[in-house]
Structures are given as C-alpha cells and as structure tokens.
Amino acid sequence: MNIAFFLLPKSEVITATPQATLRQTLERMEFHRYTAVPIISDDGHYMGTVTEGDLLWFLKNSETVSFDNAHRHVLSEVPLRVNNKPVHIHAEMVDLIDLAKVQNFVPVVDDSDKFIGIVRRSEIIEYCAKQLNFKAASVSHER
C-alpha cells in the first residue's frame, strides 16, 4: 500500500506559520475543533506540530503572556513539547504505522522535504478495519 493513498493534501489541512500570533492559532484551532496543527515555514517545510497543551503551558508559565495580549506574541515563541515526526511520501507503510501509533496525524513530506499533507491515524485504522472485515467475510464464505 502506498502512503499517498491515505494522504489528505495540504490544501485541505489546517496549518499555522511561525509568524501566526497565539490568538490566531488558538482561534483557528477552536474554529476547526483541532487539538493540534502542523506548523509550516514560509518556504513550505514542516517545522513541527503545535498542540493545545503547548499553548496552554506557554500561557501558564509565562509571566508576560496572557489571553489579553496573545495577539502580540507569535507561535515561534512557543516551545513544542512533543516532536511529531514527518514521514517521506515514499516511505514504507510500516514507518507510517509506527508514527501513527503515537501521533494523531503524521505529516508527509516530498523529495524536497516540503510539506505535502497529512495522514490521519483514523484513516489508517478505518482501512485496517475494512481489511479485517473483508478477511473475516472471506473466511466465513469458505466454510
């Protein structure tokens, strides 16, 4: 199976840039009901994933940052607590599955290490469930 089969293209992925303000990022995540979004550089490279937890811990632990002035601080100031690793578009499925076990989504990069989309863990699980159901149905017909 090819990773591209599961790819949600970048045009359909909600992302953030390092220059986005904390307020913009929080509002975007709230509007789309996401708990994490990929951070993409201006030249299209995947830089990491920011989570709700990253933003909340940053607000909690910073004496100068609050919800009231979140529009004055940019995402590049926020330390990312989790290193969500990307997978190369030509990687093996086992590599994708290994990352999906510990990440809600896996960022995908091309030959130039440019972000091209994500693979959601739910898509992989759904595909595997269908395969198991198909095999179960095949076995019951053989009996």
Side-chain angles (χ1 to χ4, degrees):
M1 178 62 53
N2 189 320
I3 289 174
F5 176 78
F6 299 102
L7 186 71
L8 181 66
K10 71 178 177 182
S11 61
E12 298 177 31
V13 177
I14 304 306
T15 62
T17 66
Q19 299 81 24
T21 68
L22 299 184
R23 184 180 186 102
Q24 289 169 330
T25 305
L26 285 164
E27 287 175 349
R28 177 171 272 194
M29 290 171 76
E30 178 185 28
F31 179 80
H32 293 284
R33 297 179 184 237
Y34 290 142
T35 59
V37 294
I39 304 169
I40 310 302
S41 69
D42 288 338
D43 62 355
H45 288 90
Y46 170 73
M47 299 182 68
T49 296
V50 64
T51 67
E52 287 177 328
D54 295 330
L55 298 171
L56 291 172
W57 284 111
F58 182 68
L59 287 167
K60 176 191 172 288
N61 294 326
S62 178
E63 293 180 18
T64 59
V65 181
S66 68
F67 284 113
D68 292 334
N69 68 9
H71 63 284
R72 293 189 182 123
H73 297 274
V74 293
L75 197 52
S76 60
E77 297 175 47
V78 177
L80 306 179
R81 295 178 303 124
V82 178
N83 181 19
N84 279 13
K85 296 178 184 169
V87 68
H88 191 275
I89 188 65
H90 300 298
E92 298 294 322
M93 281 300 293
V94 67
D95 299 323
L96 177 66
I97 291 170
D98 280 345
L99 291 174
K101 288 189 299 189
V102 295
Q103 298 175 193
N104 285 336
F105 63 85
V106 179
V108 181
V109 296
D110 66 10
D111 293 334
S112 302
D113 287 326
K114 301 275 182 141
F115 177 80
I116 59 173
I118 63 171
V119 174
R120 292 182 264 192
R121 179 170 45 198
S122 61
E123 296 290 326
I124 298 168
I125 292 170
E126 185 176 311
Y127 173 79
C128 291
K130 286 179 184 175
Q131 295 302 308
L132 289 172
N133 288 336
F134 176 76
K135 287 181 183 180
S138 295
V139 169
S140 67
H141 286 313
E142 292 174 2
R143 291 183 183 175

